[in-house]
Amino acid sequence: MKKLDMVIKNGTVVTASDCYKADLGIVNGKIEVMGSGLEKYADKVIDAEGKYVFPGGIDPHTHMDMPFGGTFSSDNFNTGTKAAACGGTTTIVDFAVQPKGKSLKDTAKIWREKSDNKACIDYGIHIVITDMNEDIMNEIPEIIKSGYSSFKLFMTYDGMMVDDDTLMKTLTKVSSNGGLTCVHAENYYVIKYYTKKLLDEGKTEPKYHAISRPDLCEGEAAGRAIKLAELCNTPLYIVHNTCEASASEIARARKKGYPIMGETCPQYLLLSYDNYEEPDFNGSKYVMSPPLRDKKNWPYLWEALKNNTLQAVSTDHCPFFMEQKRMGINDFTKIPNGAPGVELRMPLMYTYGVLERKLTLQKFVEVTSTNVAKIFGMYPQKGTIAIGSDADLVIFDPNKEVTVTQSMLNENVDYTPFEGFKLKGYPEITLSRGEVIAKDGKYIGSEGRGKFIKRGVPEII
């Protein structure tokens, strides 16, 4: 056998379908061989005895360096991807938001300037269309060919929302050219009605953000988007499902055989409306859209992951310092929407999913990595442990116990919504394309080493 660059020995390899003991041999950043007794073929050897070896996590929903209400999310592509690596995530797919009057090509260029030579892990980019016209519609095929094969549309927010007609035209154009449309599903008019009513009544605290966006507001929009996709005979992916009201609409469509997919996030599985009641404006930490829900939704969402109603777990990572959050001290509508989460996704899902027997080990890998790679056109380069796949790997210590504090994390923000959470199981070493980039919660890789992933045709699962 030829010389190997590195061997990971004695680990328990876990994929979406298997779990077995094996050594992994790496050459030129890819998995070259799997077997036993490989250490004699390499000078660099990592002993993973007693550890799991997972495919690197893939977070399909992040917002690095994103403009919002006169400020920017506090993690850029450098700081945010370092945090991701420390938490076992080796690939992100971020959202490039189209500025008014700019083409989709311009939008991609703006985000590539933010990310190229700055990201420390590999990254793809979704294109968010906010200013649709005929020229923009005609750009879609070329953008897909350039490796940006997924698009996001908002059903709410002034200046960003699209009407049903535009959504149907986009679904058809994107699908017919081999791409995938994603939607943020909330009913614009419901939110507008409740927001005006609450502000007129002098109700300005953070909790009213959640009250202004009830779960049926999300469920209605999800159901409408799904029905429009059914009319167009196209697939659809619904981002950050928070509740039974929306996920049940996906379940209904999938039961009928329609290609509708969706994701949820750790915050919707582990946090609730109760967090908005925290005193001293601390409820603003949890102001995100859609908002946290009543905890009665938790069992439904866990079951939705288990039974493949929902296919993926993202974070919607979009952090803001508390000083930024205070922009809305007297008006909940001015609180920047978003929270951190990219670093804790994998250990949270392991502790509260696998250890609490809501997810099997294989399902954990599926929803945090494999399904994402398939849905967003990166499989099998990413998302699995197989000969020829990128050596994006996480050596995960199932016995390491951690109590979460903001100070232990690498996210560029002054709080974590998961403060005080107890974890059992944490990433020990993260490898990206065969390079050790994080160890024991610290980033040790080179700067700006991440590569743009030109993504292919989405897989419907």
Side-chain angles (χ1 to χ4, degrees):
M1 186 184 295
K2 68 180 180 182
K3 188 82 169 169
L4 302 171
D5 296 337
M6 179 187 289
V7 166
I8 298 170
K9 69 173 186 176
N10 300 329
T12 299
V13 174
V14 186
T15 68
S17 56
D18 294 303
C19 183
Y20 52 89
K21 281 278 267 205
D23 296 352
L24 303 178
I26 298 167
V27 175
N28 293 329
K30 296 190 178 292
I31 298 168
E32 175 80 10
V33 63
M34 302 165 72
S36 59
L38 299 181
E39 61 186 289
K40 57 181 174 284
Y41 300 107
D43 296 328
K44 287 185 186 173
V45 178
I46 297 173
D47 190 350
E49 182 69 49
K51 314 283 168 55
Y52 291 122
V53 183
F54 296 137
I58 307 175
D59 189 339
H61 192 144
T62 64
H63 296 286
M64 306 298 179
D65 201 7
M66 189 193 80
F68 188 100
T71 189
F72 286 83
S73 57
S74 58
D75 261 322
N76 58 30
F77 275 86
N78 180 272
T79 62
T81 56
K82 285 178 178 175
C86 292
T89 288
T90 54
T91 304
I92 60 168
V93 192
D94 203 78
F95 287 89
V97 183
Q98 178 197 17
K100 291 293 174 194
K102 295 288 186 182
S103 68
L104 301 186
K105 193 173 178 182
D106 290 338
T107 303
K109 183 171 182 284
I110 290 166
W111 247 257
R112 291 293 295 276
E113 285 170 357
K114 290 174 183 275
S115 55
D116 289 0
N117 304 310
K118 298 180 183 72
C120 296
I121 61 174
D122 293 351
Y123 55 96
I125 291 173
H126 309 282
I127 303 291
V128 181
I129 303 177
T130 65
D131 190 14
M132 181 62 85
N133 55 48
E134 193 173 341
D135 288 341
I136 298 299
M137 192 71 77
N138 290 335
E139 263 197 286
I140 287 173
E142 182 189 347
I143 291 294
I144 292 174
K145 284 179 188 165
S146 300
Y148 306 88
S149 54
S150 48
F151 299 81
K152 180 181 177 185
L153 298 177
F154 282 93
M155 297 175 77
T156 190
Y157 292 127
D158 285 317
M160 297 178 84
M161 70 168 285
V162 296
D163 57 25
D164 293 353
D165 174 59
T166 301
L167 178 51
M168 291 179 78
K169 288 176 180 172
T170 308
L171 282 162
T172 303
K173 188 77 167 184
V174 169
S175 180
S176 64
N177 285 279
L180 178 65
T181 301
C182 310
V183 295
H184 173 127
E186 289 184 289
N187 184 302
Y188 171 80
Y189 297 100
V190 170
I191 296 167
K192 191 172 181 182
Y193 169 82
Y194 275 118
T195 299
K196 183 177 187 309
K197 181 175 183 292
L198 290 164
L199 291 178
D200 285 350
E201 292 169 358
K203 295 173 177 173
T204 61
E205 299 100 302
K207 67 180 180 181
Y208 293 108
H209 167 79
I211 292 168
S212 74
R213 312 170 93 98
D215 56 359
L216 285 177
C217 159
E218 180 183 344
E220 184 281 328
R224 178 160 39 99
I226 289 167
K227 290 176 180 70
L228 296 178
E230 290 173 7
L231 287 166
C232 295
N233 194 28
T234 64
L236 175 70
Y237 182 93
I238 300 182
V239 300
H240 50 43
N241 290 271
T242 73
C243 55
E244 182 175 353
S246 61
S248 63
E249 296 284 352
I250 298 175
R252 176 197 66 79
R254 288 180 68 84
K255 193 172 180 182
K256 289 184 173 181
Y258 292 110
I260 310 299
M261 299 174 288
E263 68 186 23
T264 189
C265 311
Q267 57 267 35
Y268 302 124
L269 297 162
L270 299 170
L271 302 172
S272 75
Y273 173 82
D274 296 348
N275 292 94
Y276 292 115
E277 301 283 4
E278 291 180 14
D280 302 325
F281 199 61
N282 282 321
S284 66
K285 294 175 180 178
Y286 313 97
V287 168
M288 58 189 76
S289 296
L292 302 178
R293 304 298 187 189
D294 190 296
K295 58 183 68 170
K296 69 182 182 186
N297 289 283
W298 293 350
Y300 189 92
L301 292 175
W302 282 110
E303 186 62 27
L305 286 171
K306 183 178 176 181
N307 67 23
N308 203 38
T309 294
L310 298 176
Q311 291 69 42
V313 176
S314 70
T315 61
D316 196 7
H317 179 80
C318 189
F320 296 94
F321 282 96
M322 287 304 291
E323 182 183 350
Q324 294 172 288
K325 290 278 188 179
R326 292 182 72 82
M327 290 164 61
I329 189 76
N330 297 312
D331 181 347
F332 67 83
T333 67
K334 293 184 168 58
I335 300 171
N337 279 216
V342 75
E343 192 165 354
L344 289 173
R345 182 182 68 118
M346 299 285 279
L348 285 168
M349 293 305 296
Y350 179 82
T351 297
Y352 295 98
V354 176
L355 294 188
E356 294 194 1
R357 303 194 175 185
K358 298 183 180 87
L359 305 174
T360 64
L361 269 173
Q362 288 85 354
K363 179 60 79 169
F364 163 81
V365 168
E366 194 177 294
V367 300
T368 60
S369 183
T370 308
N371 281 352
V372 181
K374 289 179 176 179
I375 292 168
F376 292 110
M378 297 180 279
Y379 186 86
Q381 177 189 353
K382 306 288 187 187
T384 192
I385 298 174
I387 305 300
S389 295
D390 285 356
D392 292 355
L393 303 165
V394 182
I395 299 171
F396 191 92
D397 183 350
N399 296 311
K400 183 170 182 180
E401 297 190 20
V402 172
T403 299
V404 175
T405 61
Q406 179 272 326
S407 60
M408 65 174 264
L409 298 174
N410 298 272
E411 297 163 340
N412 183 39
V413 66
D414 53 357
Y415 79 94
T416 171
F418 301 104
E419 187 79 30
F421 271 63
K422 298 200 180 304
L423 303 173
K424 186 173 182 185
Y426 209 82
E428 184 178 274
I429 296 173
T430 303
L431 295 93
S432 169
R433 287 179 275 106
E435 178 189 342
V436 175
I437 60 168
K439 188 172 184 180
D440 298 325
K442 300 297 175 196
Y443 183 78
I444 59 171
S446 51
E447 293 287 324
R449 55 169 301 286
K451 290 183 178 177
F452 171 72
I453 303 166
K454 185 178 178 181
R455 295 180 295 114
V457 176
E459 190 175 326
I460 307 305
I461 59 174

